[in-house]
Amino acid sequence: MGLGAHKTGFVWNERFMWHITGIAAGVVPAGGFVEPGLFHIENETAKRRIRNLLDVSGLLGQLEQIEAESAQLQDLRRVHTDAYLERFQAQSAAGGGEVGEKAVVGPNSWEIARLAVGGCLRAADAILDRRVANAYALVRPAGHHAEPDQGRGFCLLSNGCITVEYLRAVHGVERIAIVDWDAHHGNGAQKLYYADERVLTISVHEVSNFPVDSGELAETGQGEGAGANINVPLPPGTGHHAYLAVAETVIAPALSRFRPDFILVSSGFDGSLYDPLARQMAMSETYRALSATVRASAEALCNGRLLMLHEGGYSEFYTPFCGLAVLEALSGIRTEVEDPFLAHLSKPVHSIRDEQAAVIEAAAALAAQVPTTTLRRKNTHDTSNQRS
Ligand SMILES: [Zn+2]
């Protein structure tokens, strides 16, 4: 073990911030009656401010910095089709355009997206090699909406799924759980692993936000993957205590039953109550609690192997406090920073409403049905042999 073995790893590269999404109002390009002068809502500011707050809080210096390097084509090919990769590369080389639904590409986006994937892979290496205890990759562009043959929802390459396939192919990791708490559905992982019993996918998101046609409770996996896909489609307005209930009654029990060898988190902060792209009411403490839950699960189940990949989060002023809370929870280091926005929140927004409780109870029932591992079945069998 090296000196950083007990530290939390952190991936950052200034290049991630140079992915250009253009001039737009929200997600609508400027032009016609849309006055120019604003940037596309998926721009670098919120992410850069997370890193800046980590810096001024003093936490950044206590994290193990992990250098990103461009992912190999063979890494991307484990998830994406050649046709899509060629189209993306060509579009980027041509100076920009779209490579799927709400998937804007600028000049150099191809190179930057590959660098972002490479950062995720190096973080996975560092965790598997025990150079760090766990890690957070503050990458951009995000990945959880990207699909094998198209970009979607500001996501160009599937950072998470490419990492899963890398863990399997290069490190021989067998069972991987993906916990996605971005406010939008983790459609990419669901699509790829719907029939795969070795990847548990859990997505906690706002119902019918994006993509509008996926992420329902009834989507539970198929074939060998039946029961290994859990959606928690929360109604708009869901706040802190409902998220805590999801952590305690859905995420933790599902992970315990599944017994992963590695936990990946798609970490988006667009469920915060200040976010312009969702209508949820989470706060920094919510993300701290979610992080503590998955960290505890990782330590109990898989030697602490936990990698968080950054996804959405569009409140420029609030996202940094969510990011800091997560990095504090991952590293176990509490800085002197207090979230100054907490004083402005009122209690009622955080209570659990009946329609939220109904969804959480239904998801908890699914968590209680997650297929248990072969290993556990073998152990049970062994135990009965010893008894007989
Ligand atoms: Zn999102």
Side-chain angles (χ1 to χ4, degrees):
M1 272 193 229
L3 284 175
H6 302 293
K7 287 188 180 178
T8 288
F10 185 68
V11 177
W12 164 268
N13 189 295
E14 175 61 25
R15 280 274 171 194
F16 301 155
M17 303 299 109
W18 294 16
H19 160 57
I20 300 169
T21 46
I23 303 297
V27 296
V28 178
F33 291 107
V34 177
E35 181 182 338
L38 300 174
F39 290 106
H40 189 287
I41 203 156
E42 198 297 297
N43 63 68
E44 75 281 12
T45 307
K47 287 82 175 173
R48 194 192 291 286
R49 288 175 66 107
I50 293 176
R51 202 256 186 186
N52 288 345
L53 184 59
L54 292 172
D55 189 358
V56 301
S57 72
L59 186 55
L60 187 64
Q62 299 178 73
L63 304 174
E64 187 75 11
Q65 308 303 314
I66 298 170
E67 291 298 323
E69 54 189 72
S70 186
Q72 304 289 313
L73 267 181
Q74 63 177 18
D75 296 322
L76 311 184
R77 283 194 180 119
R78 293 192 190 101
V79 169
H80 293 285
T81 62
D82 285 350
Y84 172 63
L85 294 174
E86 283 160 21
R87 186 157 59 95
F88 175 11
Q89 183 173 11
Q91 199 75 64
S92 176
E98 296 228 0
V99 292
E101 180 190 10
K102 294 191 175 76
V104 180
V105 164
N108 300 318
S109 291
W110 165 252
E111 289 79 8
I112 297 169
R114 280 181 68 173
L115 189 64
V117 171
C120 300
L121 303 186
R122 293 295 78 77
D125 288 337
I127 291 169
L128 267 295
D129 298 344
R130 308 199 67 157
R131 282 181 276 123
V132 296
N134 49 40
Y136 195 100
L138 183 48
V139 293
R140 179 172 176 267
H144 76 145
H145 293 310
E147 296 179 355
D149 58 353
Q150 63 172 345
R152 268 188 114 174
F154 320 151
C155 298
L156 305 176
L157 296 175
S158 181
N159 303 331
C161 296
I162 295 167
T163 303
V164 166
E165 293 310 311
Y166 177 83
L167 285 167
R168 291 166 141 184
V170 175
H171 288 285
V173 177
E174 289 181 3
R175 302 175 64 79
I176 297 163
I178 303 175
V179 179
D180 185 325
W181 61 55
D182 185 280
H184 306 101
H185 180 225
N187 59 293
Q190 169 170 314
K191 194 167 193 174
L192 203 62
Y193 300 119
Y194 207 56
D196 191 332
E197 79 280 18
R198 294 167 305 155
V199 180
L200 170 67
T201 43
I202 304 172
S203 178
V204 185
H205 51 267
E206 182 182 336
V207 63
S208 303
N209 183 319
F210 185 88
V212 293
D213 57 350
S214 68
E216 296 295 334
L217 275 165
E219 297 159 18
T220 57
Q222 68 182 27
E224 305 218 307
N229 187 79
I230 297 177
N231 284 317
V232 192
L234 296 165
T238 297
H240 184 66
H241 287 109
Y243 273 95
L244 292 196
V246 172
E248 287 164 19
T249 68
V250 182
I251 297 174
L255 291 173
S256 290
R257 281 183 65 84
F258 185 74
R259 300 193 71 82
D261 302 313
F262 195 104
I263 299 175
L264 206 77
V265 170
S266 281
S267 172
F269 302 130
D270 39 18
S272 92
L273 78 176
Y274 293 113
D275 200 277
L277 288 190
R279 298 293 173 265
Q280 303 301 48
M281 307 292 279
M283 52 184 184
S284 57
E285 289 304 307
T286 312
Y287 294 107
R288 184 191 304 281
L290 287 167
S291 301
T293 297
V294 290
R295 184 185 163 190
S297 294
E299 287 172 359
L301 302 167
C302 51
N303 288 325
R305 290 170 175 175
L306 171 61
L307 170 58
M308 295 196 187
L309 309 183
H310 193 73
E311 302 286 355
Y314 306 94
S315 169
E316 296 177 354
F317 59 86
Y318 196 57
T319 302
F321 292 94
C322 300
L324 177 64
V326 167
L327 266 300
E328 286 182 341
L330 268 184
S331 64
I333 300 168
R334 190 71 187 240
T335 68
E336 63 175 346
V337 178
E338 298 289 342
D339 176 352
F341 295 90
L342 292 180
H344 298 274
L345 306 181
S346 61
K347 255 187 186 161
V349 302
H350 300 308
S351 59
I352 307 179
R353 301 174 66 89
D354 289 349
E355 71 271 22
Q356 298 161 2
V359 174
I360 297 167
E361 280 165 28
L366 297 174
Q369 308 265 317
V370 164
T372 50
T373 70
T374 314
L375 180 65
R376 171 171 285 189
R377 282 199 292 275
K378 203 187 288 170
N379 286 344
T380 308
H381 183 66
D382 288 345
T383 308
S384 61
N385 279 350
Q386 283 162 12
R387 279 186 194 140
S388 58

